[in-house]
Amino acid sequence: MVSYKFGRELRLLTPSQFDNVFQNPFRVASPLFTILAKPNQLTQPRIGLTIAKKRVKLAVQRNRIKRCVRNSFRLHQHQLPAVDLVLMVKGDISNTPNDELLKQLERLWQKIARQYTALSSG
């Protein structure tokens, strides 16, 4: 049976893990998000979130965006290759509804899977 948990093993936890992704990543973007991705040596993808106060002022809004991203990642984790991901926000998206956030994220997960297969085969 497939597990949809979001445990510690699915998160980037240390600054060195984030720094590793920032060195030579492949990038996918949408109007709301930029995701940096880099293959890892594990069997599952991992995600780290960076949502700057400069972009989204209120903590309530930052936390809402993080919850949406984590939930979307949790549901799509089995469709993603073994990559480390760092998600960044473009501009102020605090007034964007959750369904729009989820739609953009779903497109990004598909882009990551396509780009990863293109990189690994080429």
Side-chain angles (χ1 to χ4, degrees):
M1 186 168 149
V2 177
S3 170
Y4 287 102
K5 292 184 177 178
F6 185 70
R8 287 178 64 87
E9 68 278 358
L10 295 177
R11 290 182 253 169
L12 296 178
L13 299 171
T14 65
S16 64
Q17 291 172 338
F18 276 85
D19 290 340
N20 181 42
V21 177
F22 287 121
Q23 297 166 2
N24 300 324
F26 66 90
R27 177 185 310 253
V28 294
S30 74
L32 302 178
F33 302 106
T34 297
I35 298 180
L36 304 177
K38 189 171 185 180
N40 64 30
Q41 304 303 314
L42 306 171
T43 58
Q44 76 268 359
R46 297 186 301 177
I47 192 166
L49 306 174
T50 57
I51 301 178
K53 282 184 189 177
K54 183 177 180 181
R55 303 271 186 239
V56 183
K57 302 278 189 256
L58 298 178
V60 169
Q61 296 298 339
R62 287 194 303 276
N63 293 335
R64 178 183 65 90
I65 292 164
K66 288 179 191 177
R67 276 194 307 274
C68 277
V69 171
R70 283 192 208 111
N71 189 45
S72 178
F73 177 79
R74 182 181 68 81
L75 295 173
H76 292 88
Q77 65 184 318
H78 301 293
Q79 299 160 11
L80 293 170
V83 291
D84 287 344
L85 307 166
V86 174
L87 179 131
M88 298 179 290
V89 170
K90 286 183 178 179
D92 184 6
I93 64 170
S94 55
N95 295 326
T96 307
N98 289 356
D99 60 338
E100 179 61 29
L101 295 176
L102 294 172
K103 196 185 315 177
Q104 297 260 335
L105 287 166
E106 191 163 335
R107 286 192 200 120
L108 287 171
W109 304 140
Q110 292 168 357
K111 272 189 189 178
I112 288 167
R114 278 196 309 267
Q115 281 198 13
Y116 178 80
T117 54
L119 284 175
S120 59
S121 64

